[in-house]
Amino acid sequence: MSLLIKNADIVNADGRFTADILCDGETIARIDRGIAPPPGAEIIDAAGRHVFPGFIDPHTHIYLPFMGTFSKDDHETGTKAALVGGTTTIFEMVCPARSMSAAEGFALWRRQAEGKACCDYTFHMGVTRFDDAAAAELREIVRAGVGSFKVFLAYKGAFGVDDAELWRTLALARDLGVVVTAHCENETLVAELQRQLLAAGRTGPDAHHDSRPPRVEAEGVHHLMTFAELTGARVYVVHLSCREALEAAVAARLRGVDVSVETLIQYLVLDKTWAEKPGFEGAKYVMSPPLRDRANQQVLWDGLASGLVQTVGTDHAPFDFRTQKPMGRDDFTKIPNGIPSIEDRINLLWTHGVKAGRLSPQQFVAVASTNAAKIFDLWPRKGVIQPGADADLVIYDPDYRGTISAKTQTQAVDYNAFEGWAIEGRPAVVTVRGEVAVRDGRFCGTVGRGRFLERRPTCS
Ligand code: URP
Ligand code: ZN
Ligand code: ZN
């Protein structure tokens, strides 16, 4: 089966030009002007549209047992939503309970995705406990194609590791050449501040921010940077939200630490006033690290434009507003953390980044696709439109005008944090390895066609 995309305004991270794209089976076979259609090829005219490499979300949770409940999407709904929003590859966090072995956790997450995922997927392997047995299993998991780990410096008593475990995880990662992604917040400070706020009667969602102020995150980043500097491991700070944390990462980079930084679409467009909405409405906007003062948004946009911040993810973690967020109605520390956005990341980044003049189209591609592919060893299979790459393409309609709503979304959660927000563009067609998976906002692909992507470290 071949697919010919005519008159494509091809936007890669490193350039932009007009040509036709011929996809043969699962890969891009040729890029040229005036390609004659092979017999039987489907032809799509992309005139007036942009064609981007499939977008990559470097940070999602689809199967997530967390804070006494489970996130709402499964791999079918979550990856359909990703595709409708232009994301053709997801990185999911494997987050085993501390009582579970790494091998059991990896097998469990693989079983969840198998036969259900509609787009390609890969994992960051969560290291929630480290001992000799875990080390041996982690070596096997890396051999099976998972070229990155995830550690939590927060979530005391759940996923969090202690300092000795952190040290040994980083040392193993350095030896194997894999990147360690890390949730950076100082867990002791969080616990103490939570206790203090609850004792003072601050029980509502608005207190969440004050229990995890910027210094708590910056301290977490500084801590990780010290360990990375002394072990020589490559690290990646997930969901960085504020100036103080970015300063800690940049200072480490100046000392020679190999650190990359991810921010999230939520931090770029929402601020902490959303979590201060009256009643319990603010619970929709509780995630960790928390939404910040508005001034941080400019810092993060500047960081993306200047290259200090490499990627924009979602940390998609969907918990229903009606039935799950109320677990913390009388105690904000029990509100399941997360602001779902796997479906809206690209349209929001386009609207508030490119259309608002903050990012060029090429920078948009870099931070939403190419940089993640490079950092996590998927490039040039993913993250670029060139012969030999997987035919994951987003034909983007910049003239589309619409609004975001839970009523029309694909993700399986009962609210949308961006309800009623305008978007100025959306994917018209999305392909997954040569198969059209989305047309005009609707999934039309094959359930279960998503493939587990093996990643081999290239920097060891
Ligand atoms: O609030 C968040 N970020 N929820 C998901 C779990 C995590 O910390 O990544
Ligand atoms: Zn996290
Ligand atoms: Zn996360």
Side-chain angles (χ1 to χ4, degrees), residues 337-406:
N337 284 202
I339 305 180
S341 49
I342 202 167
E343 195 163 344
D344 303 310
R345 173 182 69 127
I346 293 304
N347 293 333
L348 288 168
L349 191 65
W350 173 261
T351 303
H352 294 271
V354 182
K355 296 291 284 186
R358 293 171 168 130
L359 298 177
S360 71
Q362 286 98 322
Q363 287 171 327
F364 165 71
V365 169
V367 302
S369 178
T370 312
N371 291 349
K374 288 186 172 173
I375 294 166
F376 296 116
D377 306 304
L378 282 177
W379 192 89
R381 180 174 174 192
K382 307 284 189 190
V384 62
I385 299 176
Q386 67 179 32
D390 280 356
D392 295 349
L393 299 167
V394 176
I395 303 177
Y396 200 79
D397 179 2
D399 297 323
Y400 176 83
R401 295 291 178 271
T403 50
I404 295 173
S405 176

Coordinates of all heavy atoms in Angstrom, one line a residue, residues 337-406:
N337 N -3.5 13.4 41.6 CA -2.7 14.4 40.9 C -2.8 14.2 39.4 O -2.6 13.1 38.9 CB -1.3 14.4 41.3 CG -1.0 15.0 42.6 OD1 0.2 15.4 42.9 ND2 -1.9 15.1 43.5
G338 N -3.1 15.3 38.6 CA -3.0 15.1 37.2 C -3.9 16.0 36.4 O -5.1 16.3 36.9
I339 N -3.5 16.6 35.3 CA -4.4 17.4 34.4 C -4.3 16.8 33.0 O -3.2 17.0 32.4 CB -3.9 18.9 34.4 CG1 -3.9 19.5 35.8 CG2 -4.9 19.7 33.5 CD1 -3.4 21.0 35.8
P340 N -5.3 16.0 32.6 CA -5.2 15.4 31.3 C -5.1 16.3 30.2 O -5.7 17.4 30.1 CB -6.6 14.6 31.2 CG -7.4 15.1 32.3 CD -6.6 15.8 33.3
S341 N -4.2 16.0 29.2 CA -4.0 16.9 28.0 C -3.4 16.2 26.8 O -2.9 16.9 25.9 CB -3.2 18.1 28.5 OG -2.1 17.7 29.2
I342 N -3.4 14.9 26.8 CA -2.8 14.2 25.7 C -3.4 14.6 24.3 O -2.7 14.6 23.3 CB -2.9 12.7 25.9 CG1 -1.8 11.9 25.1 CG2 -4.2 12.1 25.5 CD1 -1.6 10.5 25.5
E343 N -4.7 15.0 24.4 CA -5.4 15.3 23.1 C -5.2 16.7 22.7 O -5.3 17.0 21.5 CB -6.9 15.0 23.4 CG -7.7 14.9 22.1 CD -9.1 14.3 22.5 OE1 -9.2 13.6 23.5 OE2 -10.0 14.4 21.6
D344 N -4.8 17.6 23.6 CA -4.8 19.0 23.3 C -3.4 19.6 23.2 O -3.3 20.8 22.9 CB -5.6 19.7 24.4 CG -7.0 19.1 24.5 OD1 -7.7 19.1 23.4 OD2 -7.5 18.7 25.5
R345 N -2.4 18.9 23.6 CA -1.0 19.5 23.7 C -0.6 20.2 22.4 O -0.2 21.4 22.4 CB 0.0 18.3 23.9 CG 1.5 18.8 23.9 CD 2.4 17.6 24.1 NE 2.4 16.7 23.0 CZ 3.5 16.2 22.4 NH1 4.7 16.7 22.7 NH2 3.4 15.4 21.4
I346 N -0.8 19.5 21.2 CA -0.3 20.1 20.0 C -1.1 21.3 19.6 O -0.5 22.4 19.2 CB -0.3 19.0 18.9 CG1 0.8 17.9 19.3 CG2 0.0 19.6 17.5 CD1 2.2 18.5 19.5
N347 N -2.4 21.2 19.6 CA -3.2 22.4 19.2 C -3.0 23.6 20.1 O -3.0 24.7 19.7 CB -4.7 22.0 19.2 CG -5.0 21.0 18.1 OD1 -4.3 20.9 17.1 ND2 -6.0 20.2 18.3
L348 N -2.8 23.3 21.4 CA -2.5 24.5 22.3 C -1.1 25.0 22.1 O -0.9 26.3 22.1 CB -2.6 24.0 23.8 CG -4.0 23.7 24.3 CD1 -4.0 23.0 25.6 CD2 -4.8 25.0 24.4
L349 N -0.1 24.2 21.8 CA 1.2 24.6 21.6 C 1.3 25.4 20.3 O 2.0 26.4 20.2 CB 2.2 23.5 21.6 CG 3.7 23.8 21.6 CD1 4.1 24.4 22.9 CD2 4.5 22.5 21.4
W350 N 0.5 25.0 19.3 CA 0.5 25.7 18.0 C -0.2 27.1 18.2 O 0.3 28.1 17.8 CB -0.3 24.9 17.0 CG -0.6 25.6 15.7 CD1 -1.7 26.2 15.4 CD2 0.3 25.7 14.6 NE1 -1.6 26.8 14.1 CE2 -0.3 26.5 13.7 CE3 1.6 25.3 14.4 CZ2 0.3 26.9 12.4 CZ3 2.2 25.7 13.2 CH2 1.6 26.4 12.2
T351 N -1.3 27.0 18.9 CA -2.1 28.3 19.1 C -1.4 29.3 20.0 O -1.2 30.5 19.6 CB -3.5 27.9 19.7 OG1 -4.1 27.0 18.9 CG2 -4.4 29.2 19.9
H352 N -0.9 28.8 21.1 CA -0.2 29.8 22.1 C 1.3 29.9 21.8 O 1.9 30.9 22.3 CB -0.5 29.3 23.5 CG -2.0 29.4 23.8 ND1 -2.6 30.5 24.3 CD2 -3.0 28.5 23.7 CE1 -3.9 30.3 24.5 NE2 -4.1 29.1 24.1
G353 N 1.8 29.0 21.1 CA 3.3 29.1 20.8 C 3.5 29.7 19.4 O 4.0 30.9 19.3
V354 N 3.1 29.0 18.3 CA 3.4 29.5 17.0 C 2.5 30.7 16.6 O 3.0 31.7 16.2 CB 3.3 28.4 16.0 CG1 3.7 28.8 14.6 CG2 4.2 27.2 16.4
K355 N 1.2 30.5 16.7 CA 0.3 31.6 16.3 C 0.5 32.9 17.1 O 0.3 34.0 16.7 CB -1.1 31.2 16.4 CG -1.5 30.0 15.5 CD -1.5 30.4 14.1 CE -2.8 31.2 13.7 NZ -2.9 31.4 12.3
A356 N 1.0 32.7 18.4 CA 1.2 33.9 19.2 C 2.6 34.5 19.0 O 3.0 35.4 19.7 CB 1.0 33.5 20.7
G357 N 3.4 33.9 18.1 CA 4.7 34.4 17.8 C 5.8 34.1 18.8 O 6.9 34.7 18.7
R358 N 5.6 33.1 19.6 CA 6.6 32.7 20.6 C 7.6 31.7 20.1 O 8.7 31.6 20.6 CB 5.9 32.2 21.9 CG 5.1 33.2 22.6 CD 4.3 32.6 23.7 NE 3.7 33.5 24.6 CZ 2.5 33.6 25.0 NH1 1.6 32.6 24.5 NH2 2.0 34.5 25.8
L359 N 7.1 30.8 19.2 CA 8.0 29.8 18.6 C 7.8 29.8 17.1 O 6.7 30.1 16.6 CB 7.5 28.4 19.1 CG 7.6 28.1 20.6 CD1 7.0 26.6 20.8 CD2 9.0 28.1 21.1
S360 N 8.9 29.5 16.4 CA 8.8 29.3 14.9 C 8.2 27.9 14.7 O 8.2 27.1 15.6 CB 10.1 29.5 14.3 OG 10.9 28.3 14.6
P361 N 7.6 27.7 13.5 CA 7.1 26.3 13.2 C 8.2 25.3 13.4 O 7.9 24.2 13.9 CB 6.7 26.4 11.7 CG 6.3 27.9 11.6 CD 7.3 28.6 12.4
Q362 N 9.5 25.6 13.1 CA 10.6 24.6 13.2 C 10.8 24.4 14.7 O 11.1 23.2 15.1 CB 11.8 25.1 12.5 CG 11.8 25.0 11.0 CD 11.4 26.3 10.4 OE1 10.6 27.0 10.9 NE2 12.1 26.6 9.3
Q363 N 10.8 25.4 15.5 CA 11.0 25.2 17.0 C 9.9 24.4 17.5 O 10.1 23.5 18.4 CB 11.1 26.6 17.7 CG 12.4 27.3 17.4 CD 12.3 28.8 17.9 OE1 11.3 29.4 17.9 NE2 13.5 29.3 18.4
F364 N 8.7 24.6 17.1 CA 7.5 23.8 17.5 C 7.7 22.4 17.2 O 7.5 21.5 18.1 CB 6.3 24.4 16.7 CG 5.1 23.6 16.7 CD1 4.3 23.5 17.8 CD2 4.6 23.0 15.5 CE1 3.1 22.7 17.7 CE2 3.5 22.3 15.4 CZ 2.7 22.2 16.5
V365 N 8.2 22.0 16.0 CA 8.5 20.6 15.7 C 9.6 20.1 16.6 O 9.6 19.0 17.1 CB 8.9 20.5 14.2 CG1 9.5 19.1 13.9 CG2 7.7 20.8 13.3
A366 N 10.6 20.9 16.8 CA 11.8 20.5 17.7 C 11.3 20.1 19.1 O 11.6 19.0 19.6 CB 12.8 21.5 17.8
V367 N 10.5 20.9 19.7 CA 10.1 20.7 21.1 C 9.0 19.7 21.3 O 8.8 19.1 22.4 CB 9.8 22.0 21.9 CG1 11.0 23.0 21.8 CG2 8.6 22.7 21.3
A368 N 8.2 19.5 20.2 CA 7.1 18.6 20.3 C 7.4 17.2 19.7 O 6.5 16.3 19.8 CB 5.8 19.2 19.7
S369 N 8.5 17.1 19.0 CA 8.8 15.8 18.4 C 10.3 15.5 18.3 O 10.8 14.6 19.0 CB 8.2 15.9 16.9 OG 8.5 14.7 16.2
T370 N 11.1 16.3 17.6 CA 12.4 15.9 17.2 C 13.3 15.7 18.4 O 14.1 14.8 18.5 CB 13.0 16.9 16.2 OG1 12.1 17.1 15.2 CG2 14.3 16.4 15.6
N371 N 13.3 16.7 19.3 CA 14.2 16.6 20.5 C 14.0 15.4 21.3 O 15.0 14.7 21.8 CB 14.1 17.9 21.3 CG 14.6 19.1 20.6 OD1 15.2 19.0 19.6 ND2 14.3 20.3 21.2
A372 N 12.7 15.0 21.5 CA 12.5 13.8 22.3 C 13.0 12.6 21.6 O 13.6 11.7 22.2 CB 11.0 13.6 22.6
A373 N 12.8 12.6 20.3 CA 13.3 11.4 19.5 C 14.9 11.3 19.6 O 15.4 10.2 19.7 CB 12.9 11.6 18.0
K374 N 15.5 12.5 19.6 CA 17.0 12.5 19.7 C 17.5 12.1 21.1 O 18.4 11.2 21.3 CB 17.6 13.8 19.3 CG 17.5 14.1 17.8 CD 18.2 15.3 17.4 CE 18.2 15.5 15.9 NZ 18.7 16.7 15.4
I375 N 16.8 12.7 22.1 CA 17.3 12.4 23.5 C 17.1 10.9 23.9 O 17.9 10.3 24.5 CB 16.5 13.3 24.5 CG1 16.9 14.7 24.3 CG2 16.8 12.8 26.0 CD1 15.9 15.7 25.0
F376 N 16.0 10.3 23.4 CA 15.6 9.0 23.8 C 15.8 7.9 22.7 O 15.1 6.9 22.7 CB 14.1 9.0 24.3 CG 14.0 9.8 25.5 CD1 13.1 10.9 25.5 CD2 14.6 9.5 26.7 CE1 13.0 11.7 26.7 CE2 14.5 10.3 27.9 CZ 13.7 11.4 27.9
D377 N 16.7 8.2 21.8 CA 17.2 7.2 20.8 C 16.1 6.6 19.9 O 16.1 5.4 19.6 CB 17.8 6.0 21.6 CG 19.0 6.5 22.5 OD1 19.9 7.2 22.0 OD2 18.9 6.3 23.7
L378 N 15.2 7.5 19.4 CA 14.2 7.1 18.4 C 14.6 7.7 17.1 O 14.0 7.4 16.0 CB 12.8 7.5 18.8 CG 12.1 6.7 19.8 CD1 10.8 7.3 20.2 CD2 11.9 5.3 19.4
W379 N 15.4 8.7 17.1 CA 15.8 9.5 15.8 C 16.8 8.7 15.1 O 17.7 8.1 15.7 CB 16.4 10.8 16.2 CG 16.5 11.8 15.1 CD1 15.6 12.7 14.7 CD2 17.7 12.0 14.3 NE1 16.1 13.4 13.6 CE2 17.4 13.0 13.4 CE3 19.0 11.4 14.3 CZ2 18.3 13.5 12.5 CZ3 19.9 11.9 13.4 CH2 19.5 12.9 12.4
P380 N 16.8 8.6 13.7 CA 15.9 9.3 12.8 C 14.7 8.4 12.4 O 14.0 8.8 11.4 CB 16.8 9.6 11.6 CG 17.7 8.4 11.6 CD 17.9 7.9 13.0
R381 N 14.4 7.4 13.1 CA 13.2 6.6 12.8 C 11.9 7.4 13.0 O 11.0 7.4 12.3 CB 13.2 5.3 13.7 CG 12.0 4.5 13.4 CD 12.1 3.2 14.2 NE 10.9 2.4 14.0 CZ 10.5 1.4 14.7 NH1 11.4 0.9 15.7 NH2 9.4 0.8 14.5
K382 N 12.0 8.2 14.1 CA 10.9 9.1 14.4 C 11.4 10.5 14.5 O 12.6 10.8 14.7 CB 10.2 8.8 15.8 CG 9.8 7.3 15.9 CD 8.5 7.0 15.2 CE 8.0 5.6 15.6 NZ 6.9 5.2 14.7
G383 N 10.5 11.5 14.4 CA 10.9 12.9 14.7 C 11.4 13.7 13.5 O 11.9 14.8 13.7
V384 N 11.3 13.1 12.3 CA 11.8 13.8 11.1 C 11.1 13.2 9.9 O 10.8 12.1 9.9 CB 13.4 13.7 11.0 CG1 13.8 12.2 10.9 CG2 13.9 14.5 9.9
I385 N 10.9 14.1 8.9 CA 10.4 13.7 7.7 C 11.5 13.6 6.7 O 12.1 14.6 6.2 CB 9.3 14.7 7.1 CG1 8.2 14.8 8.1 CG2 8.8 14.2 5.7 CD1 7.1 15.8 7.7
Q386 N 12.0 12.3 6.4 CA 13.0 12.1 5.5 C 12.9 10.6 5.0 O 12.3 9.8 5.7 CB 14.4 12.4 6.1 CG 14.8 11.5 7.2 CD 16.2 11.8 7.7 OE1 16.7 12.9 7.8 NE2 16.9 10.8 8.2
P387 N 13.5 10.3 3.8 CA 13.4 8.9 3.4 C 14.0 8.0 4.4 O 15.0 8.2 5.0 CB 14.2 8.9 2.1 CG 14.1 10.4 1.6 CD 14.1 11.2 2.9
G388 N 13.3 6.9 4.6 CA 13.8 5.9 5.6 C 13.1 6.0 6.9 O 13.1 5.0 7.7
A389 N 12.6 7.2 7.2 CA 11.9 7.3 8.5 C 10.5 6.7 8.5 O 9.9 6.5 7.4 CB 11.7 8.8 8.8
D390 N 10.0 6.3 9.7 CA 8.6 5.8 9.7 C 7.7 6.9 9.1 O 7.8 8.1 9.4 CB 8.2 5.5 11.2 CG 8.8 4.2 11.7 OD1 9.4 3.5 10.8 OD2 8.6 3.9 12.8
A391 N 6.6 6.4 8.4 CA 5.7 7.4 7.8 C 4.6 7.8 8.8 O 3.4 7.5 8.7 CB 5.1 6.7 6.6
D392 N 5.1 8.5 9.9 CA 4.2 9.1 10.9 C 4.1 10.5 10.5 O 5.1 11.3 10.7 CB 4.8 9.0 12.3 CG 5.0 7.6 12.8 OD1 4.4 6.6 12.2 OD2 5.7 7.4 13.8
L393 N 3.0 11.0 10.0 CA 2.9 12.3 9.5 C 1.6 13.0 10.0 O 0.6 12.4 10.2 CB 2.8 12.3 7.9 CG 4.1 11.7 7.3 CD1 3.8 11.4 5.8 CD2 5.3 12.6 7.4
V394 N 1.8 14.3 10.2 CA 0.6 15.1 10.6 C 0.4 16.2 9.6 O 1.2 17.1 9.4 CB 0.8 15.7 12.0 CG1 -0.3 16.6 12.4 CG2 1.1 14.7 13.1
I395 N -0.7 16.1 8.8 CA -1.1 17.1 7.9 C -2.0 18.1 8.6 O -3.1 17.7 9.0 CB -1.8 16.5 6.7 CG1 -0.9 15.4 6.0 CG2 -2.2 17.6 5.6 CD1 -1.6 14.7 4.8
Y396 N -1.4 19.2 8.9 CA -2.0 20.2 9.8 C -2.8 21.3 9.1 O -2.2 21.9 8.2 CB -0.9 20.7 10.7 CG -1.5 21.3 12.0 CD1 -1.8 20.4 13.1 CD2 -1.6 22.7 12.2 CE1 -2.3 20.9 14.3 CE2 -2.1 23.2 13.4 CZ -2.4 22.3 14.5 OH -2.9 22.8 15.6
D397 N -4.0 21.5 9.5 CA -4.8 22.5 8.9 C -4.8 23.8 9.8 O -5.4 23.9 10.8 CB -6.3 22.0 8.9 CG -7.2 23.1 8.2 OD1 -6.8 24.1 7.9 OD2 -8.4 22.8 8.2
P398 N -4.0 24.8 9.3 CA -3.9 26.1 10.1 C -5.1 27.0 10.0 O -5.2 28.0 10.8 CB -2.6 26.7 9.5 CG -2.6 26.3 8.0 CD -3.3 24.9 8.0
D399 N -6.0 26.6 9.2 CA -7.2 27.5 9.0 C -8.4 27.0 9.9 O -9.4 27.7 10.0 CB -7.7 27.5 7.6 CG -6.6 28.2 6.7 OD1 -6.0 29.1 7.2 OD2 -6.4 27.7 5.6
Y400 N -8.2 25.8 10.5 CA -9.3 25.3 11.3 C -9.5 26.2 12.6 O -8.5 26.7 13.2 CB -8.9 23.9 11.8 CG -10.0 23.3 12.8 CD1 -11.1 22.7 12.3 CD2 -9.8 23.4 14.2 CE1 -12.1 22.2 13.2 CE2 -10.7 22.9 15.1 CZ -11.9 22.4 14.6 OH -12.8 21.9 15.4
R401 N -10.7 26.5 12.9 CA -11.0 27.2 14.1 C -12.0 26.4 14.9 O -13.0 25.9 14.4 CB -11.6 28.6 13.8 CG -10.7 29.6 13.1 CD -9.5 30.0 14.0 NE -8.5 30.8 13.3 CZ -7.5 30.4 12.7 NH1 -7.2 29.1 12.6 NH2 -6.6 31.2 12.1
G402 N -11.8 26.2 16.2 CA -12.7 25.4 17.0 C -12.5 25.7 18.5 O -11.6 26.5 18.9
T403 N -13.2 25.0 19.3 CA -13.0 25.1 20.8 C -12.8 23.7 21.4 O -13.4 22.7 20.9 CB -14.2 25.8 21.5 OG1 -15.4 25.1 21.0 CG2 -14.2 27.2 21.2
I404 N -12.1 23.7 22.5 CA -11.9 22.4 23.2 C -13.0 22.2 24.1 O -13.5 23.1 24.8 CB -10.6 22.5 24.0 CG1 -9.4 22.7 23.1 CG2 -10.4 21.3 25.0 CD1 -8.1 23.0 23.8
S405 N -13.5 20.9 24.2 CA -14.6 20.6 25.1 C -14.6 19.1 25.5 O -14.3 18.3 24.7 CB -15.9 20.9 24.5 OG -17.0 20.5 25.4
A406 N -14.9 18.9 26.7 CA -15.0 17.5 27.2 C -16.1 16.8 26.4 O -16.1 15.5 26.3 CB -15.3 17.5 28.7

